[in-house]
């Protein structure tokens, strides 16, 4: 499906021509019929000889309504420029063509209208020459010019064939799988409720789908869909659609809102845009200037921050970061129009390079300018790689969305980059890569692994007695989202680069190391313990004797078993005590604390501390004043 838009100076015969071509009166508002002038968008459709239907948007030509005209241009793929043969190129002919040029509308066709009023063939030739030479300095140089009269019918069949030829050569509208509908009309129909219309872009919509209205994120459901007054189950990109919504009232929606599926687009209040000042205009774009920015059917005030030169003169281009007064829905590659708020004049247009800049850019930052220039490159591989480099790691499908590629393109680019070892397939389907596969940039992946290894090395050096670095600490130092960071650590453990102890991580092969002084201190402590192994000196004393690091190592490494804050038994003594208690319990069935104290030959304090510790492990079980074997105490092994 495709959309053709009219354009041209007021009264040159646009609406009349649409009526003759389609049989539909596009001037829908009473006010227009009274004033005989188009002040807002009008809509109609046309069936080509091939059977294909073309949507038509009729725009107002009067200078007071240029901003209404802009709400229609975003949906055009081709324009029908109407120039009256008796008047020739006029101011709004120029302004409309400038806007179509700045928006990079792909196709254009000229109807030299009211040819019945042209005085003889010579006049007709002159009028055609004037239009041709005017178009020569635009992207539409060489477009067909068809002389027509809506009054006599002359040239209408030729115009029809020219329209058919124009669209016959045009590829279908791209389908990115994420529809957006820039809303140009909102009204209510009795028996139906809220209806919105617009030109559907970037993906299909179907009846029954949950949708969201941006920027306010209001929810609604599609109750019905119509294209050219025909009800449909679903609508394809490029069609003019009327959407009947349930769950939302007319007062909650307005022109400029964008209907999308939840989670596919985010409104933005800032954008990096390559601005082109209108060549034939008289005004430059200045820094810190308040302008009106038009995108889709929306408009907002926006403040400029020129990133390169101080001023963009007519015919020149430059990078501008805009701060938007009202959030908009922008995607990379969208075109925008810039106007001065008052008096309302068109100053230029722009191409959105980055709809979600990470930050406010400094002026004259060469790195940013280089990065932005790179995004201009249209080679999908470069755009994809650039996005991956910035994200570091992402799903293939999400990268495609960021790069403005459709799904099949993103998958094939990812596979190509994988084959040439420019991309690391990280998880999800690897052979072959799919939309859900997680991929990483080779450089960034290397930086992250080096950073993890470096952190671990530093940790081991500073704390040679620790088994490993707490995982949470590793995660907090890594500049990477936790979900990806955990994947990275898993991958590094799987490849043998590090040892994963769950709560801690260590370099592969790392063993705690004692120096001579530490070994000596431990030997002294063991000696001190052996004087009464079942009633060792308090652990406070132990920490003092060993120092906090060595004390932590003593417990961490299992040399000592901590049963309370202040009681740590040597491992051998602990095993001996537990063995004795279990033996006695198997033989006698139960023991009191006093009996345990006697079995161990230690004081009640130690016996009780050990029993409570064994209760917690389930080796013993308390039963009133008695202890019995617990669920974990039945076997021969220790808990
Ligand atoms: P728009 O403002 O460009 O949409 O122009 P309209 O379609 O409203 O036409 C403006 C005026 O020109 C109307 O009075 C039409 O009747 C008249 N008009 C349109 N087409 C022709 C034509 O081919 N020949 C003549 N003689 N008059 C025309």
């Amino acid at each position: 499906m495709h959309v053709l838009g009219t354009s041209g100076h007021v009264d040159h015969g646009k609406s009349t021509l649409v009526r003759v071509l389609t049989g539909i009166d596009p001037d829908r508002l009473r006010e227009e019929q009274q004033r005989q002038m188009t002040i807002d968008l009008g809509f109609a459709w046309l069936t080509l000889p091939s059977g294909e239907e073309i949507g038509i948007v009729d725009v107002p030509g009067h200078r007071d309504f240029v901003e209404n005209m802009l709400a229609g241009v975003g949906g055009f793929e081709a324009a029908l420029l109407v120039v009256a043969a008796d008047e020739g190129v006029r101011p709004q002919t120029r302004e409309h063509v400038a806007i179509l040029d700045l928006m990079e509308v792909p196709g254009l066709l000229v109807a030299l209208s009211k040819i019945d009023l042209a005085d003889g063939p010579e006049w007709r030739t002159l009028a055609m020459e004037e239009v041709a030479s005017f178009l020569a300095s635009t992207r539409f140089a060489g477009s067909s010019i068809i002389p027509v009269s809506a009054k006599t019918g002359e040239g209408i069949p030729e115009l029809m064939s020219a329209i058919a030829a124009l669209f016959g050569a045009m590829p279908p509208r791209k389908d990115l799988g994420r529809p957006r509908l820039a809303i140009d009309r909102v009204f209510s129909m009795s028996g139906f409720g809220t209806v919105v219309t617009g030109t559907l872009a970037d993906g299909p919509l179907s009846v029954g789908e949950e949708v969201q209205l941006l920027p306010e994120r209001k929810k609604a459901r599609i109750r019905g869909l119509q294209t050219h007054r025909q009800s449909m189950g679903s609508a394809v990109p490029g069609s003019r659609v009327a959407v009947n919504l349930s769950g939302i009232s007319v007062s909650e929606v307005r022109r400029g809102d964008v209907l999308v599926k939840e989670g596919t687009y985010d409104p933005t209040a800032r954008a990096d845009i390559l601005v082109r000042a209108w060549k034939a205009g008289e005004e430059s774009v200045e820094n810190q200037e308040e302008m009106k920015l038009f995108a889709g059917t929306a408009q907002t005030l926006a403040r400029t921050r020129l990133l390169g030169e101080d001023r963009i003169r007519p015919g020149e281009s430059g990078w501008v970061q805009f701060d938007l007064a009202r959030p908009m829905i922008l995607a990379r590659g969208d075109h925008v129009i810039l106007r001065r708020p008052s008096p309302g004049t068109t100053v230029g247009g722009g191409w959105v390079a980055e709809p979600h800049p990470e930050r406010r850019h400094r002026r004259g930052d060469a790195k940013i300018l280089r990065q932005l220039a790179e995004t201009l490159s249209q080679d999908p591989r470069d755009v994809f790689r650039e996005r991956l480099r910035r994200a570091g790691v992402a799903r293939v499908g999400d990268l495609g969305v960021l790069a403005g590629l459709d799904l099949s393109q993103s998958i094939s680019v990812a596979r190509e980059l994988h084959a040439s070892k420019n991309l690391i397939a990280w998880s999800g389907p690897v052979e072959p890569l799919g939309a859900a596969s997680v991929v990483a940039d080779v450089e960034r992946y290397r930086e992250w692994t080096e950073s993890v290894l470096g952190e671990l090395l530093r940790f081991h050096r500073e704390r040679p007695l620790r088994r490993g670095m707490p995982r949470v600490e590793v995660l907090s130092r890594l500049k990477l989202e936790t979900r990806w960071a955990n994947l990275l650590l898993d991958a590094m453990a799987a490849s043998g680069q590090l040892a994963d102890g769950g709560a801690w991580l260590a370099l592969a092969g790392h063993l705690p190391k004692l120096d001579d002084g530490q070994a000596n201190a431990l030997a002294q402590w063991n000696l001190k313990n052996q004087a009464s192994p079942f009633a060792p000196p308090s652990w406070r004393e132990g920490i003092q004797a060993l120092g906090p690091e060595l004390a932590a190592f003593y417990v961490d490494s299992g040399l000592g078993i901590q049963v309370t804050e202040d009681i740590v038994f040597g491992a051998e003594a602990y095993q001996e005590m537990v063995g004795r208690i279990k033996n006695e319990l198997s033989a006698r069935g139960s023991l009191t604390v006093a009996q345990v104290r006697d079995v161990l030959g230690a004081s009640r304090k130690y016996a009780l501390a050990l029993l409570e510790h064994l209760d917690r492990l389930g080796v013993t079980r308390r039963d009133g004043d008695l202890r019995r074997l617990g669920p974990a105490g039945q076997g021969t092994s220790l808990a």
Side-chain angles (χ1 to χ4, degrees):
M1 286 271 199
H2 298 285
V3 174
L4 174 73
T6 64
S7 51
H9 199 76
V10 64
D11 265 355
H12 278 204
K14 294 182 292 298
S15 302
T16 309
L17 206 48
V18 171
R19 207 156 42 233
V20 168
L21 285 169
T22 67
I24 300 165
D25 185 351
D27 283 339
R28 58 188 181 83
L29 298 175
R30 192 191 303 274
E31 189 184 354
E32 288 169 21
Q33 268 154 17
Q34 277 163 5
R35 289 173 65 183
Q36 295 252 312
M37 183 170 86
T38 310
I39 64 172
D40 204 345
L41 305 175
F43 302 95
W45 67 92
L46 176 68
T47 308
L48 296 177
S50 65
E52 192 193 347
E53 282 187 356
I54 298 291
I56 295 188
V57 178
D58 185 33
V59 307
H62 195 281
R63 56 169 295 176
D64 291 351
F65 305 111
V66 171
E67 297 186 356
N68 287 346
M69 174 249 184
L70 286 171
V73 181
F76 294 5
E77 291 152 285
L80 177 64
L81 177 67
V82 181
V83 182
D86 59 333
E87 290 201 7
V89 174
R90 300 296 307 277
Q92 264 58 59
T93 319
R94 294 182 190 281
E95 185 166 21
H96 282 193
V97 169
I99 287 166
L100 298 169
D101 192 336
L102 292 166
M103 294 289 285
E104 301 186 355
V105 168
L108 182 123
L109 188 61
V110 184
L112 188 68
S113 63
K114 307 194 188 179
I115 204 70
D116 55 289
L117 297 180
D119 232 353
E122 215 164 290
W123 186 272
R124 180 184 294 209
T125 313
L126 276 176
M128 286 177 75
E129 277 172 10
E130 188 206 6
V131 175
S133 83
F134 158 61
L135 290 179
S137 63
T138 71
R139 65 187 285 115
F140 306 115
S143 299
S144 315
I145 303 172
I146 320 283
V148 297
S149 166
K151 199 167 179 190
T152 65
E154 185 190 347
I156 299 294
E158 288 78 3
L159 182 58
M160 226 8 163
S161 327
I163 294 172
L166 188 64
F167 285 106
M170 210 169 268
R173 283 277 276 246
K174 61 185 176 170
D175 183 349
L176 306 181
R178 45 170 204 157
R180 53 177 169 157
L181 185 74
I183 293 172
D184 49 38
R185 270 186 308 170
V186 184
F187 51 91
S188 97
M189 257 169 86
S190 64
F192 289 94
T194 307
V195 177
V196 300
T197 70
T199 304
L200 183 58
D202 295 348
L205 282 179
S206 299
V207 172
E209 280 175 332
E210 297 279 355
V211 291
Q212 208 181 25
L213 287 133
L214 298 179
E216 297 190 358
R217 300 185 194 277
K218 290 186 181 122
K219 289 189 185 175
R221 179 188 284 276
I222 300 181
R223 191 204 271 171
L225 277 174
Q226 280 194 357
T227 295
H228 308 156
R229 300 213 182 122
Q230 288 286 312
S231 291
M232 313 268 197
S234 62
V236 296
S239 31
R240 287 284 319 162
V241 295
V243 186
N244 179 205
L245 293 173
S246 61
I248 197 158
S249 70
V250 169
S251 61
E252 291 179 278
V253 196
R254 54 175 161 164
R255 173 179 284 181
D257 287 351
V258 180
L259 181 150
V260 302
K261 290 210 244 175
E262 196 168 347
T264 51
Y265 291 87
D266 275 323
T268 182
R270 180 176 286 165
D272 298 340
I273 295 180
L274 181 65
V275 167
R276 190 149 61 97
W278 180 15
K279 191 156 42 173
E282 279 159 18
E283 299 178 73
S284 303
V285 177
E286 313 271 342
N287 189 39
Q288 288 300 333
E289 188 182 1
E290 182 125 287
M291 306 199 93
K292 261 188 183 175
L293 190 146
F294 295 79
T297 57
Q299 55 168 294
T300 179
L301 286 175
R303 184 163 285 281
T304 59
R305 182 155 48 252
L306 265 61
L307 301 178
E309 302 292 319
D310 285 343
R311 142 175 315 150
I312 304 167
R313 296 183 177 77
E316 294 177 351
S317 299
W319 288 103
V320 181
Q321 187 169 61
F322 284 91
D323 287 317
L324 311 179
R326 183 170 195 264
M328 282 193 150
I329 288 61
L330 295 175
R332 179 179 174 276
D334 282 357
H335 290 91
V336 304
I337 290 292
L338 295 168
R339 283 172 58 87
R340 196 138 283 150
S342 72
T345 45
T346 300
V347 180
W351 185 88
V352 177
E354 177 51 72
H356 296 279
E358 282 160 6
R359 63 180 85 79
R360 202 167 177 272
H361 300 317
R362 260 187 305 121
R363 299 191 60 202
D365 184 333
K367 189 170 156 232
I368 292 294
L369 289 169
R370 205 170 45 244
Q371 261 178 18
L372 286 170
E374 257 177 59
T375 62
L376 276 177
S377 143
Q378 291 296 320
D379 184 339
R381 274 170 307 243
D382 294 344
V383 182
F384 190 94
R385 270 194 81 172
E386 200 272 324
R387 292 292 155 156
L388 178 58
R389 203 153 37 223
R390 238 192 289 170
V393 51
R395 285 187 202 288
V396 169
D398 296 343
L399 282 170
V401 167
L402 286 172
L405 301 177
D406 68 30
L407 214 54
S408 61
Q409 261 182 319
S410 342
I411 292 170
S412 75
V413 172
R415 287 181 187 168
E416 225 174 275
L417 290 172
H418 189 219
S420 60
K421 307 228 179 321
N422 281 307
L423 162 159
I424 289 189
W426 208 347
S427 81
V430 170
E431 278 301 343
L433 283 173
S437 308
V438 178
V439 295
D441 177 63
V442 176
E443 280 290 300
R444 299 284 299 275
Y445 183 83
R446 218 196 53 229
E447 284 168 23
W448 290 322
T449 52
E450 280 173 3
S451 140
V452 170
L453 297 175
E455 288 292 340
L456 292 178
L457 189 63
R458 197 178 52 76
F459 187 89
H460 291 329
R461 277 213 190 104
E462 279 171 17
R463 291 150 179 249
L465 295 178
R466 295 278 203 96
R467 272 183 310 195
M469 183 168 176
R471 176 183 279 265
V472 285
E473 242 176 84
V474 177
L475 290 176
S476 77
R477 306 246 162 141
L478 202 55
K479 289 191 192 69
L480 188 59
E481 256 180 85
T482 311
R483 60 182 172 144
W484 304 130
N486 278 317
L487 276 180
L488 175 78
L489 297 174
D490 290 350
M492 291 177 74
S495 71
Q497 285 175 291
L498 53 82
D500 185 350
W504 54 265
L505 299 159
L507 287 177
H510 166 78
L511 286 175
K513 273 194 223 60
L514 298 178
D515 61 26
D516 289 351
Q518 290 164 330
N520 204 19
L522 278 183
Q524 295 286 334
W525 181 248
N526 282 335
L527 216 60
K528 201 162 184 179
N529 262 342
Q530 271 159 27
S532 58
F534 295 174
S538 84
W539 187 232
R540 218 171 316 130
E541 212 178 298
I543 293 173
Q544 237 163 40
L546 297 171
E549 275 298 306
L550 195 54
F553 169 74
Y554 186 71
V555 173
D556 263 7
S557 61
L559 288 172
I561 312 294
Q562 185 152 27
V563 300
T564 69
E565 203 181 323
D566 205 37
I567 302 178
V568 174
F569 296 110
E572 250 175 72
Y574 175 83
Q575 309 244 8
E576 172 68 25
M577 289 190 287
V578 177
R580 281 198 206 172
I581 293 170
K582 282 169 68 176
N583 282 343
E584 287 299 317
L585 283 175
S586 329
R588 296 204 241 162
S590 68
L591 294 169
T592 63
V593 176
Q595 286 169 324
V596 171
R597 182 195 60 199
D598 295 343
V599 166
L600 300 178
S603 75
R604 186 184 153 81
K605 174 179 117 180
Y606 291 99
L608 191 59
L610 181 60
L611 282 175
E612 283 172 355
H613 161 83
L614 293 176
D615 288 345
R616 283 193 296 276
L617 295 179
V619 175
T620 53
R621 177 169 61 83
R622 186 169 169 187
D623 180 6
D625 287 341
L626 299 175
R627 284 296 190 303
R628 299 183 188 282
L629 275 178
Q634 310 290 341
T636 45
S637 67
L638 272 177

